Amino acid sequence: MYLPVFSKDLKNYKDKKVCLIGKVIDIQEEKKVIRLKLLDTFGFFDVVLFDVYNIKLFDTLLILGSVSEYNNNFSVIARYLSILNGDDEILWRKFFIKKIKKNKKKNNKENKMEEKDIVENNNLEEKDIKKEIYEEELPEEVKLRKQILEFIRDNDKGDGVSLKDIKDFFDISEEKLSNIIMDLLSSGEIYESSPEKYKVI
């Protein structure tokens, strides 16, 4: 599960999977790595990419990845990313803040329960508490988006890949596929070469 966090909290999530939203303020391209500096509500954070994306300055990105530390600097090694535009950005930010609030409430409840258990069970052995792992839709959506982009790239024989071929291969609802295709079009990662045929830029 990718935990939604802000840049100020990265040091608390070393080697954990996190989700962040930020605006690109610097891009540095090296041989096989792209380093981004993003700005969120609480400051800056660095992102390392190993895949090539069509990212421009001031794009807003949704990043899923794991936190790593080098020379006491924390950065996110991106596994998935999505470029957010207009209404998408507002929706994702609302979703993001809602998840952070939910996690804080959950952590507060757990802390209160732990304090209560300590008071009640001073002389008893501590019991193991199993936590349920909730599957989030977010990673699946981003993963599916990336798979569709790769499918278009890999199956383009020159004139693009048809919407029907994509739908037949992924076996997902037409509405879901349409939303992902519109997102890829609006983020500039693909274009419509002819009616309902798509090519990667």
Side-chain angles (χ1 to χ4, degrees):
M1 178 173 79
Y2 290 88
L3 297 170
V5 298
F6 290 112
S7 58
K8 66 177 180 137
D9 301 319
L10 283 180
K11 62 182 177 278
N12 301 327
Y13 291 93
K14 185 180 174 195
D15 299 326
K16 296 218 166 66
K17 293 179 178 178
V18 295
C19 169
L20 295 104
I21 296 177
K23 195 165 285 290
V24 178
I25 58 169
D26 187 35
I27 302 172
Q28 295 178 4
E29 294 185 27
E30 297 174 11
K31 288 182 182 177
K32 295 183 179 180
V33 175
I34 299 173
R35 296 182 189 281
L36 305 175
K37 187 172 282 293
L38 278 77
L39 177 67
D40 73 358
T41 310
F42 292 97
F44 305 99
F45 62 97
D46 295 316
V47 175
V48 179
L49 300 173
F50 295 101
D51 290 333
V52 177
Y53 293 92
N54 187 20
I55 298 170
K56 298 179 284 298
L57 280 177
F58 308 114
D59 279 348
T60 300
L61 304 181
L62 171 69
I63 304 285
L64 299 176
S66 56
V67 179
S68 69
E69 179 188 12
Y70 180 73
N71 286 344
N72 212 20
N73 291 322
F74 292 89
S75 59
V76 178
I77 308 299
R79 292 184 55 104
Y80 308 104
L81 74 77
S82 179
I83 300 171
L84 303 178
N85 294 311
D87 292 339
D88 289 342
E89 180 178 347
I90 294 167
L91 288 172
W92 279 109
R93 285 192 185 274
K94 284 181 180 177
F95 175 79
F96 189 79
I97 290 169
K98 184 178 175 183
K99 287 293 180 186
I100 286 178
K101 286 180 179 178
K102 185 178 176 182
N103 284 343
K104 280 187 179 181
K105 282 182 182 177
K106 183 179 173 186
N107 288 339
N108 286 341
K109 282 182 183 177
E110 287 175 2
N111 289 340
K112 286 178 184 177
M113 286 175 61
E114 285 176 20
E115 289 172 11
K116 187 177 178 182
D117 286 345
I118 290 170
V119 170
E120 291 176 358
N121 302 316
N122 277 339
N123 298 328
L124 299 175
E125 291 181 9
E126 291 184 24
K127 295 181 180 178
D128 292 335
I129 299 171
K130 292 184 180 178
K131 296 179 183 176
E132 292 181 24
I133 298 172
Y134 295 96
E135 289 294 323
E136 297 288 341
E137 287 184 23
L138 178 62
E140 288 304 316
E141 290 289 326
V142 175
K143 188 176 181 181
L144 183 60
R145 183 185 188 280
K146 186 172 181 175
Q147 289 172 342
I148 289 173
L149 185 63
E150 288 172 0
F151 179 81
I152 294 170
R153 182 181 293 120
D154 295 342
N155 292 284
D156 183 4
K157 305 294 185 224
D159 60 340
V161 178
S162 72
L163 186 63
K164 183 185 181 310
D165 289 343
I166 299 168
K167 187 174 184 324
D168 291 346
F169 184 81
F170 286 98
D171 192 32
I172 58 174
S173 73
E174 197 167 317
E175 180 185 353
K176 194 172 198 177
L177 178 60
S178 177
N179 288 340
I180 292 171
I181 293 294
M182 289 305 294
D183 180 47
L184 290 168
L185 285 167
S186 65
S187 66
E189 294 176 72
I190 63 171
Y191 67 96
E192 197 167 4
S193 57
S194 59
E196 295 195 340
K197 283 205 166 187
Y198 303 98
K199 292 177 74 69
V200 174
I201 292 179

